[in-house]
Each structure stands twice: as C-alpha cells, then as structure tokens.
C-alpha cells in the first residue's frame, strides 16, 4: 500500500525521494518499480534509500514484478506497465487501502491471540473450531 501512502512521507523519506527524483517517471503519481522496491526495503530494513540495495532490494524487486504488482493490477488497485516497469494508482486503490487498514489490525490481533494460546497450552474458540 506504499503506492497509496507515498505522498505522505516522513521528513527523511521526503528528502531522500528528492535526491532520487530522476527515477520517478511521467508524473508525481507514477513511480518506477526500482524506486518502489528501494522505498519498501528502506522501510522494512530501517535504512536510507541509498542503503536499500543488495539482496534485500533484489528480493523485493523480484517479488514485486513477479507476484505483487500483477495481482494488484488484476484487481485495478494499480496500473502496472510491465514493459516500462512503472506503477501508478488504479481506480480501486483507495478502497483496497481502506480495507487493508481496517482488516490488518484485526487479523493481527486474532493471529496473535491464537498463537499465544497455542504456545501457552490454553484453548481458544479459534483453536476449538479448528480441531472440531
């Protein structure tokens, strides 16, 4: 969902984005897959954009072009130009961003509780439903 949130950036990301603005193509809403991968690695690894390189970068870039971007394009969340390797927001991006924002914390709470109960030996309604 970085595509939907990339205009709301931290001061560090904003200043670094200016330094790499040559990778942003066509308009402010279009971003290269290279830039997107670097931003993701920067966030995940808590490093600067300049340090977002190597295996982490290559792994993210490959996952984006082989899996994530085609799937997001299929549901019109983004418009992905696989020839030019660019991404721009699609008509369903806002709806998907809202759904993800709402459901992700709920899923994390449910998963965390189920895992905590599993390791503590407790029984939970979720565990009971799975084993019944």
């Amino acid at each position: 969902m970085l595509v939907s949130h990339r205009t709301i950036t931290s001061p560090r990301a904003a200043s670094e984005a200016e330094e790499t603005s040559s990778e942003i193509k066509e308009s402010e809403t279009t971003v290269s897959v290279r830039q997107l991968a670097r931003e993701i690695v920067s966030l995940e690894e808590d490093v600067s954009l300049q340090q977002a390189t190597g295996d982490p970068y290559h792994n993210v870039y490959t996952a984006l072009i082989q899996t994530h971007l085609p799937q997001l394009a299929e549901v019109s969340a983004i418009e992905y130009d696989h020839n030019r390797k660019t991404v721009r927001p699609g008509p369903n991006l806002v709806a998907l961003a809202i759904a993800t924002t709402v459901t992700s914390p709920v899923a994390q709470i449910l998963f965390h509780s189920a895992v905590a109960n599993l390791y503590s030996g407790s029984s939970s309604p979720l565990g009971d439903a799975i084993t019944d």
Side-chain angles (χ1 to χ4, degrees), residues 97-109:
I98 291 169
T100 302
T101 302
V102 171
T103 58
S104 181
V106 173
Q108 290 174 7
I109 289 169

Side-chain angles (χ1 to χ4, degrees), residues 50-107:
Q50 291 74 24
Q51 295 172 317
T53 60
D55 285 341
Y57 166 80
H58 292 292
N59 293 339
V60 169
Y61 181 87
T62 301
L64 285 171
I65 63 171
Q66 290 182 352
T67 305
H68 303 297
L69 298 178
Q71 289 177 346
L72 289 168
E74 192 173 303
V75 296
S76 298
I78 61 166
E79 294 175 9
Y80 171 49
D81 184 335
H82 68 278
N83 293 323
R84 298 182 72 202
K85 301 291 189 263
T86 57
V87 179
R88 48 185 294 163
N92 293 334
L93 183 61
V94 172
L96 184 60
I98 291 169
T100 302
T101 302
V102 171
T103 58
S104 181
V106 173

Side-chain angles (χ1 to χ4, degrees), residues 22-42:
S22 64
E23 291 187 31
I24 299 175
K25 300 177 177 145
E26 294 179 9
S27 73
E28 292 180 18
T29 61
T30 300
V31 64
S32 71
V33 177
R34 290 176 54 198
Q35 179 65 22
L36 188 59
R38 289 180 73 181
E39 289 181 25
I40 291 169
V41 172
S42 176

